[in-house]
Amino acid sequence: MLVDSPPEQRAETAPAPPTRRAIRAIGLLGSVVILVLVALASIAIGAKALSMGQVWHGLFQDTGTYGDVVVADRLSRTVLGLLAGAALGLSGAVLQALTRNPLADPGLLGINAGASAAVVTAITFFGVTSLSGYVWFAFVGAAAVGALVWFLGGSRGATPVRLALAGTAISAALYGYLQAVMIMDDAALARMRFWTVGSLASASNSAILQVLPFLAVGTVLALSLARPLNAMEMGDDTAKALGANLNLTRALAMLSATVLCGAATAACGPIMFVGLMVPHVVRSFTGPDLRWILPYATVLSPVLLLGADVLGRVVARPSELQVGIVTAIIGGPVFIYLVRRRRTAQL
């Protein structure tokens, strides 16, 4: 006759449930796998679909065939999508923590507007026509606006509300300037119409190499701010009690977001909603801990960007919809849903 063991003994021998940390780590690993699959789809899918065999051959056994050439072209596009998506998602997560606003994105502080205005200026007044030429104008414009927002927001006395108000005011002024110049200059309008909606179609190895150092520095800086930003989300007094340097943390957070978003915008144009949607969605299953939000946003944002790019190539084949248009179509309803859900939760 079998005798059941006492409850205490069964409790001791039962396997321990996985910790929340282990679940998050497994989820992050699964996100990396999804990213790899989406990246392969980005290389394989286009005006002409390629098989996985052709993709593999083009990546590792390039012999100059048609398929190999297509893979090489799409590889640059995919790499730029990976880098830009990670930069936009990471900068969005940092800005949401900095402004304590889960619906904030890089456009809130005028970074996209600064880059766009600088590119219009380069095309109209300096005759710059190539991506490699105006990428630096875009980056300088984003950096200049980031510095101006920091100054107008109070510098060392900056608060989330002041930064958001300063960014909104500067964005409105710069977009007015951008529209005025483009209306008066038909040539600038023709050259700017694809860049302003955001696209990966102009990806090149030279553009990637130009922005890569800035993306690397911005990524390392942003990830290193997870702990102090966690402390700041509990309030300034609590953050000070925990030893966080509020002014330094805010300055570095502004710098990292400006560098990341500025470099991505310079290479791809202003792509909206990626920095808004992904960090907000990630927060729903990781909780408020930025030590997990930032890595998840870094991995899942390229999934959204590359997925939108692939979708744009499929629905308009043999032509394509720019990725900025697709993310806007997806992001608009999602943003409305997030705002309504947030409003309902506050009632």
Side-chain angles (χ1 to χ4, degrees), residues 269-280:
I271 298 175
M272 309 301 288
F273 290 110
V274 175
L276 164 67
M277 286 190 291
V278 176
H280 192 85

Side-chain angles (χ1 to χ4, degrees), residues 72-145:
D73 290 341
R74 292 181 187 171
L75 181 61
S76 296
R77 183 172 183 153
T78 301
V79 171
L80 183 59
L82 289 171
L83 296 175
L88 292 172
L90 193 54
S91 63
V94 169
L95 289 177
Q96 288 175 11
L98 176 65
T99 60
R100 299 174 193 165
N101 181 358
L103 299 180
D105 77 332
L108 180 68
L109 298 186
I111 298 173
N112 287 339
S116 300
V119 171
V120 168
T121 301
I123 291 175
T124 303
F125 299 107
F126 296 98
V128 180
T129 58
S130 66
L131 173 63
S132 60
Y134 61 65
V135 65
W136 294 104
F137 282 87
F139 184 77
V140 170
V145 169

Side-chain angles (χ1 to χ4, degrees), residues 1-236:
M1 179 177 179
L2 297 176
V3 179
D4 288 339
S5 57
E8 296 81 1
Q9 185 176 348
R10 289 201 302 271
E12 291 176 359
T13 57
T19 64
R20 188 171 186 181
R21 182 185 181 89
I23 294 174
R24 287 169 172 171
I26 294 171
L28 186 59
L29 181 60
S31 300
V32 172
V33 173
I34 294 173
L35 178 58
V36 171
L37 295 176
V38 173
L40 290 175
S42 176
I43 297 174
I45 299 174
K48 176 178 174 58
L50 300 177
S51 67
M52 283 296 105
Q54 288 175 305
V55 171
W56 179 268
H57 191 279
L59 290 175
F60 301 105
Q61 302 175 18
D62 186 2
T63 56
T65 64
Y66 173 79
D68 295 343
V69 173
V70 172
V71 168
D73 290 341
R74 292 181 187 171
L75 181 61
S76 296
R77 183 172 183 153
T78 301
V79 171
L80 183 59
L82 289 171
L83 296 175
L88 292 172
L90 193 54
S91 63
V94 169
L95 289 177
Q96 288 175 11
L98 176 65
T99 60
R100 299 174 193 165
N101 181 358
L103 299 180
D105 77 332
L108 180 68
L109 298 186
I111 298 173
N112 287 339
S116 300
V119 171
V120 168
T121 301
I123 291 175
T124 303
F125 299 107
F126 296 98
V128 180
T129 58
S130 66
L131 173 63
S132 60
Y134 61 65
V135 65
W136 294 104
F137 282 87
F139 184 77
V140 170
V145 169
L148 183 59
V149 168
W150 176 250
F151 175 76
L152 295 178
S155 310
R156 294 189 175 185
T159 63
V161 174
R162 287 180 180 179
L163 291 174
L165 290 175
T168 301
I170 292 174
S171 292
L174 288 178
Y175 277 124
Y177 163 78
L178 186 151
Q179 295 299 325
V181 172
M182 291 177 65
I183 289 173
M184 292 186 296
D185 188 342
D186 292 337
L189 176 61
R191 288 192 292 268
M192 282 290 298
R193 68 180 188 272
F194 290 113
W195 189 86
T196 52
V197 298
S199 175
L200 299 177
S202 300
S204 65
N205 292 333
S206 62
I208 293 172
L209 291 176
Q210 284 176 334
V211 300
L212 185 59
F214 299 102
L215 294 176
V217 171
T219 298
V220 172
L221 182 57
L223 293 175
S224 68
L225 293 173
R227 288 183 181 275
L229 285 174
N230 269 343
M232 287 177 56
E233 288 201 327
M234 293 185 287
D236 289 357

